[in-house]
């Protein structure tokens, strides 16, 4: 029983670290005038306490990313496709441009995707239809 709890804890930490890595890669590829993300999204605090990030109670994994109306600018990186517990992604009312990365198609739990009021320059990709 003891070794099971240690293994579960190690797996939770590793998985949360992969969520943290994905979000740090996202942060490194975007810019915002108030530096909200660079000042708040740091390794010194838990990813579950970062602005715009919500985590599940049971697994402590990132389940929602809500960065609406933060005046963020850049491309949406493929790393967000690694947030395997993500249920909701809201990047609306920002200045994202370019294409949606096909890696977002890996988000099998995703239920809400809000990208309106950005500068994305493509039609809705066919792989997006694979999401439930």
């Amino acid at each position: 029983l003891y070794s099971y709890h240690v293994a579960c804890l190690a797996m939770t930490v590793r998985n949360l670290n992969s969520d943290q890595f994905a979000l740090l890669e996202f942060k490194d590829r975007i810019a915002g005038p108030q530096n909200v993300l660079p000042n708040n999204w740091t390794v010194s605090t838990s990813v579950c306490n970062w602005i715009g990030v919500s985590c599940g109670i049971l697994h402590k994994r990132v389940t929602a990313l809500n960065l609406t109306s933060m005046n963020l600018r850049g491309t949406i990186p493929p790393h967000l496709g690694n947030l395997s517990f993500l249920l909701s992604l809201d990047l609306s009312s920002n200045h994202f441009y370019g294409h949606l990365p096909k890696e977002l198609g890996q988000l099998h739990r995703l239920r809400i995707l809000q990208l309106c009021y950005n500068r994305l320059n493509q039609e809705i990709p066919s792989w997006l239809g694979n999401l439930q």
Side-chain angles (χ1 to χ4, degrees), residues 16 40-42 44-55 62:
L16 191 57
N40 180 267
W41 286 18
T42 65
S44 62
T45 59
S46 169
V47 65
C48 296
N49 294 325
W50 291 358
I51 288 175
V53 176
S54 298
C55 292
V62 174

Side-chain angles (χ1 to χ4, degrees), residues 10 19 35 38 47 53 59 69 81 92 97 111 113:
D19 288 354
N35 285 327
V47 65
V53 176
H59 297 291
S69 302
S92 58
Y97 55 87
R111 298 292 181 262
L113 179 62

Side-chain angles (χ1 to χ4, degrees), residues 52-116:
V53 176
S54 298
C55 292
I57 295 169
L58 181 60
H59 297 291
K60 301 290 187 206
R61 299 289 305 275
V62 174
T63 57
L65 184 59
N66 182 350
L67 300 175
T68 186
S69 302
M70 293 188 71
N71 207 17
L72 301 174
R73 176 176 322 280
T75 59
I76 298 173
H79 302 87
L80 290 185
N82 293 329
L83 297 174
S84 57
F85 279 72
L86 201 63
L87 299 170
S88 174
L89 176 60
D90 189 346
L91 301 176
S92 58
S93 300
N94 283 290
H95 303 283
F96 290 105
Y97 55 87
H99 298 289
L100 290 178
K102 67 179 185 290
E103 288 80 3
L104 293 183
Q106 299 169 180
L107 300 174
H108 299 293
R109 290 180 172 92
L110 193 66
R111 298 292 181 262
I112 299 170
L113 179 62
Q114 296 279 357
L115 299 170
C116 56

Side-chain angles (χ1 to χ4, degrees), residues 23-42:
L23 291 174
L24 289 174
E25 289 294 317
F26 173 79
K27 178 187 81 164
D28 288 346
R29 287 168 171 72
I30 61 171
Q34 293 90 11
N35 285 327
V36 172
L37 298 187
N39 293 336
N40 180 267
W41 286 18
T42 65

